[in-house]
Amino acid sequence: PIIASVAVAQGKVYAGSSDGLVYGLDTISLDLKWQFATGDKIWSTPAIVADTVYVTSFDKKLYALDANTGNKKWEFKTEGAIVSPPVVDGGTVYFGALDRYFYAVNAADGSLKWKFPAGKWFWSKPVIHNGTVYTANLDDTVYALNAATGQKQGEFNLGIPSSASPVMVDNLLIVATEDGKVFSLDTANNRQKLLVELGEKVYSSLAASGGKVYIHSSSDKLYEIDATSGAKRELNIK
């Protein structure tokens, strides 16, 4: 199975699979251009910057691959499987792992810049905004970390784990917990607000457009949430 979303860049589709392979496909014909074998399942979406594909694996490694050939440039080893999709910003790759650490790694050579410990697993994709990394941990907390140093600048306690990747709308970080609570975290003043309670499990990544947030629940319903007011509308996806 292909668990995560694919990534598209430079005329290729990049996908990781539960067979442990990263695939590079032509966007028009879908012909296989290359494949790269990791040591275990891949459940995260690759990140592509310039000519490099960054991908995490259950084999406890982050890989940097040549986007044109699939050849490995470098790898970075952690102490736990990695489900969190990587985010690349300012020459740094950010991701969390199941060893309970969040990592910042040099995008050019794979050297460690810093790591931050938390109470449980990191599962979702981090968000970077105004020099701060926001990352949700299964210890019920969203951490705000200095992107350059890893120093904790603040935290938001949600009361329940969040495994769905959050989104940024202007200065508001929108986070959904596993029990369907949707929070607005104001990054300007660190205020936390409960926007709405869906009453349904939420595990999939959030999406945002035009001040609205779109959430797919485990009941196979799609909701549109106003990021400011919390007004909710169920969309027909039949």
Side-chain angles (χ1 to χ4, degrees), residues 4-18:
S5 302
V6 302
V8 180
Q10 303 174 7
K12 291 187 180 65
V13 178
Y14 302 97
S17 173
S18 294

Side-chain angles (χ1 to χ4, degrees), residues 24-25 39 76 90 97 102 112 115 132 136 162 167 178 182 185 189 194 210:
L25 310 170
F76 177 84
F102 187 86
L112 177 66
K115 63 180 183 179
T132 301
S162 173
V167 290
E178 292 181 357
V182 182
L185 310 180
N189 55 28
L194 177 62

Side-chain angles (χ1 to χ4, degrees), residues 53 79 144 163 229:
V53 178
E79 296 301 318
S163 53
S229 68

Side-chain angles (χ1 to χ4, degrees), residues 185-199:
L185 310 180
D186 193 325
T187 62
N189 55 28
N190 288 334
R191 291 180 179 173
Q192 179 175 327
K193 174 184 175 183
L194 177 62
L195 280 179
V196 66
E197 295 189 51
L198 300 177

Side-chain angles (χ1 to χ4, degrees), residues 1 4 11 23 33 43 47 61 100 124 133 135 153 159 164 167 204 210 222 234:
Y23 295 90
K33 295 301 182 181
W43 280 10
K61 293 178 181 179
R100 304 185 179 193
S124 63
V133 182
T135 179
Q153 298 178 327
V167 290
S204 63
L222 180 64
E234 184 178 342

